[in-house]
Amino acid sequence: MIAISLGTVLGIISGLIPGVGNFILILLVWPFLYYFSILELLMMYVSMASISQYIGSIPAIVYGIPGESSSYPAVVESRNLTSVKQVSEAISGSAFGSMIGGLLVVLLCLFFADQIENIKYLFSTKMLVILLCAVLCLLIFTTNNAISINILLITFGLFLGFVGYNSYLDLQFFTFDIINLWAGLPLPVVLICLFAVPQIFHHINISDKKQKPKTYRLFSLYIMNPFYLFFNTLLGFLGGLVPGLTTVFSSSFAYGVSTLFTKDPVKRIVSSETANNAGAFSMLLPLLTFGIPLIGSEAVLLFLMEQKGFNIVSFSFSDMMPKLAFTLLLVNIIGFLLAWPLSKHVYLFYSIDTKKLMVFLLVCLFAIVLYLGYLNYSISYYLLCFCILSPIGFFLRDTNTLPLVFAFLIHDKLLNGLFRFYQLIM
């Protein structure tokens, strides 16, 4: 219950504050996650990912603020909500649609758990290399930067990852005879400086863009046609498998399809919100079957799980699925209650000065760098890395640095796979 409660709280924060996504929040609670088991880490993560999708629809519809990046379609259509009735239907319909979408995906995965389990037996060194390269290529074309920028970011990420002593090639790479650098750059510092810092600075002025809140009632529940709910769930499930985009693609995909069939802004919003909650769980399947993370927060989750001994060969998806299903059943009920009956209390959160909150988060992240440096007996080294990398993060504040971070996180798996693949064909 501690893992679920922590995930729920983090999901609420992630869904309400633009720029403070699941990636940054995992970094903020990193020291506490060392005490979680593999199952608890998964329970915490699925709770956070699911709740953030529920909560993100509220500020998107009421304030025109995309709390979650997957809520942009709701922000766009919220401008077309012209009556209290429509706003009320969008709020309740999104909450109910998200619950149905989330539960349908869980039931399908529970039913097909054995078949999903068998997928991992297709795993091989060759497939690992192909999948990692495919994900990198998709990031180049799907991340919202120029293609040339994405290529440079991936190159820089791989460069940072290769810093240190390479056992495969038996050589030092940019260590400058500094003993600490033999083990490579510290992962938490790189993630904080090159992803969290740019995200926070990019959204530091978001409080200036908040629109006048819309009025709505909570007495009636809007339920979309069951066929459309199932259809949007399917779209969201498929969209969640797209590397780098996952729930963002799920909601945009479903929204784009809905514009072909209806002009009703309520139905368009409900379609996108149903889909993004379906994608919140399906995006975990490549991680749990092949050990391939699709987004930055999953890569951090994988790193933490591997510290606990996670290995896709020995990991049993079918054994773990019932426990995850119970977690998601509970979380979807909580999410529905938060996103509909309790949504009226969101205004209390937006009385907080966003700029001060962002500065507070930066201070917290800096404190975590120092704390992790203390745990590793390398405070000065962690501090030096922070001072060198954080200005780079600030410079990249208007750039989506996901390709850079993702390349850094998977460099070891990619190099390991390429080296073994080379040995196999020689």
Side-chain angles (χ1 to χ4, degrees), residues 7-283:
T8 299
V9 172
L10 294 179
I12 292 173
I13 297 172
S14 175
L16 289 177
I17 311 176
V20 186
N22 297 336
F23 191 104
I24 292 177
L25 291 172
I26 285 184
L27 296 178
L28 283 171
V29 297
W30 186 299
F32 304 102
L33 300 181
Y34 281 118
Y35 302 100
F36 282 10
S37 66
I38 292 176
L39 176 60
E40 288 171 332
L41 285 169
L42 283 171
M43 293 170 72
M44 183 280 299
Y45 188 84
V46 296
S47 300
M48 176 176 64
S50 183
I51 291 295
S52 66
Q53 301 304 316
Y54 274 101
I55 301 300
S57 62
I58 303 171
I61 296 170
V62 179
Y63 291 93
I65 296 175
E68 257 289 321
S69 54
S70 60
S71 295
Y72 275 104
V75 172
V76 173
E77 286 299 325
S78 69
R79 301 163 188 162
N80 299 321
L81 300 174
T82 56
S83 67
V84 173
K85 181 175 181 293
Q86 282 186 317
V87 178
S88 304
E89 289 178 343
I91 290 289
S92 63
S94 295
F96 183 77
S98 294
M99 181 176 67
I100 296 300
L103 292 178
L104 279 176
V105 167
V106 172
L107 290 174
L108 287 173
C109 289
L110 191 61
F111 185 77
F112 292 106
D114 290 334
Q115 286 72 23
I116 295 173
E117 175 79 9
N118 291 333
I119 293 176
K120 74 179 183 182
Y121 294 115
L122 300 173
F123 181 82
S124 64
T125 297
K126 182 178 179 180
M127 177 170 285
L128 173 66
V129 173
I130 292 173
L131 286 174
L132 289 175
C133 291
V135 171
L136 288 174
C137 289
L138 283 170
L139 285 176
I140 290 174
F141 293 102
T142 59
T143 306
N144 58 337
N145 302 314
I147 292 177
S148 58
I149 296 297
N150 288 331
I151 293 174
L152 288 174
L153 289 172
I154 288 175
T155 303
F156 185 53
L158 291 173
F159 168 79
L160 293 178
F162 291 143
V163 170
Y165 174 71
N166 190 297
S167 59
Y168 299 109
L169 304 177
D170 190 27
L171 59 81
Q172 302 175 43
F173 186 72
F174 276 80
T175 59
F176 303 107
D177 292 326
I178 300 175
I179 295 178
N180 285 322
L181 275 177
W182 275 53
L185 295 171
L187 176 66
V189 179
V190 174
L191 299 182
I192 287 173
C193 292
L194 299 182
F195 192 85
V197 169
Q199 285 279 95
I200 289 176
F201 275 107
H202 179 70
H203 292 275
I204 202 86
N205 295 319
I206 196 67
S207 59
D208 298 331
K209 302 177 182 178
K210 187 165 57 179
Q211 68 181 31
K212 182 180 179 181
K214 291 181 170 62
T215 303
Y216 62 99
R217 295 188 297 266
L218 297 172
F219 302 113
S220 60
L221 178 63
Y222 178 80
I223 300 177
M224 184 183 272
N225 183 301
F227 171 78
Y228 289 118
L229 286 177
F230 180 80
F231 179 66
N232 287 310
T233 297
L234 179 61
L235 295 180
F237 178 87
L238 296 175
L241 301 174
V242 178
L245 294 178
T246 59
T247 55
V248 176
F249 185 81
S250 293
S251 60
S252 300
F253 187 23
Y255 173 69
V257 172
S258 70
T259 58
L260 301 175
F261 297 98
T262 180
K263 294 183 178 180
D264 186 345
V266 174
K267 292 181 179 179
R268 291 180 175 184
I269 290 173
V270 175
S271 294
S272 66
E273 292 300 315
T274 299
N276 65 31
N277 222 59
F281 185 74
S282 67
M283 67 182 185

Side-chain angles (χ1 to χ4, degrees), residues 359-395:
V359 171
F360 174 73
L361 290 176
L362 285 172
V363 173
C364 289
L365 289 171
F366 179 71
I368 289 172
V369 169
L370 294 180
Y371 177 71
L372 293 176
Y374 167 76
L375 289 180
N376 290 279
Y377 307 102
S378 305
I379 292 181
S380 58
Y381 173 58
Y382 273 56
L383 185 58
L384 175 63
C385 291
F386 182 86
C387 292
I388 293 174
L389 293 175
S390 55
I392 299 175
F394 178 78
F395 175 76

